[in-house]
Amino acid sequence: MDIDTFLVTFYETLSFGYGEKFKSRQLRRLFLPNATLMKTRGSVYVQRDLGAHIEEFESALETSPQLFQNGFHVVQLSREIIESKGAFLVSSVYRETYADIAETGVSSMIVVPRGDTNQI
């Protein structure tokens, strides 16, 4: 999988339409088991593992389903990629929309191929 395909897959995996389920299994497959994610809470960054991120999102789906009546959609607006020795430093600006809410944010990640394959 090349970096362009990875980023398209990443945002498609986060998105879902009305009546669809969050694709947690697919999201887990995109990351190494020990992946660390960062999320902002106000002006503070909070570090969480992938499982905690998924649990928080699934909890929001369960406790606040009205927020997801129209689904949850994430699209990449722009990105910068630096490649070095097969690894990629990615800064990706995105917009997520749900209910009547539209938020923008930045995903920053280091993406490395898995093993001796071309998979990321």
Side-chain angles (χ1 to χ4, degrees), residues 2 9 39 95 102 114:
D2 65 27
T9 302
K39 182 176 182 174
R95 178 185 309 118
R114 290 185 183 182

Side-chain angles (χ1 to χ4, degrees), residues 2-117:
D2 65 27
I3 190 65
D4 295 320
T5 303
F6 173 82
L7 289 169
V8 167
T9 302
F10 172 67
Y11 287 114
E12 286 177 352
T13 300
L14 293 174
S15 301
F16 55 88
Y18 173 75
E20 295 178 345
K21 294 190 179 224
F22 176 59
K23 300 175 227 94
S24 61
R25 182 176 288 173
Q26 290 90 328
L27 186 61
R28 284 183 193 280
R29 282 189 238 146
L30 290 176
F31 292 94
L32 295 172
N34 62 344
T36 299
L37 305 174
M38 305 290 284
K39 182 176 182 174
T40 57
R41 294 220 170 112
S43 61
V44 176
Y45 282 91
V46 178
Q47 180 177 330
R48 299 173 303 157
D49 66 25
L50 183 59
H53 177 78
I54 290 171
E55 286 174 22
E56 181 180 330
F57 196 84
E58 288 178 336
S59 175
L61 283 165
E62 186 176 310
T63 60
S64 303
Q66 71 279 6
L67 292 177
F68 306 99
Q69 290 177 4
N70 297 321
F72 183 82
H73 305 280
V74 188
V75 295
Q76 180 175 252
L77 302 175
S78 65
R79 68 179 187 200
E80 291 184 40
I81 299 173
I82 299 171
E83 181 179 3
S84 178
K85 298 180 183 179
F88 304 90
L89 174 60
V90 179
S91 179
S92 174
V93 179
Y94 65 87
R95 178 185 309 118
E96 59 187 29
T97 55
Y98 55 100
D100 291 330
I101 300 167
E103 300 175 320
T104 58
V106 178
S107 290
S108 297
M109 59 186 98
I110 298 172
V111 181
V112 296
R114 290 185 183 182
D116 295 330
T117 69

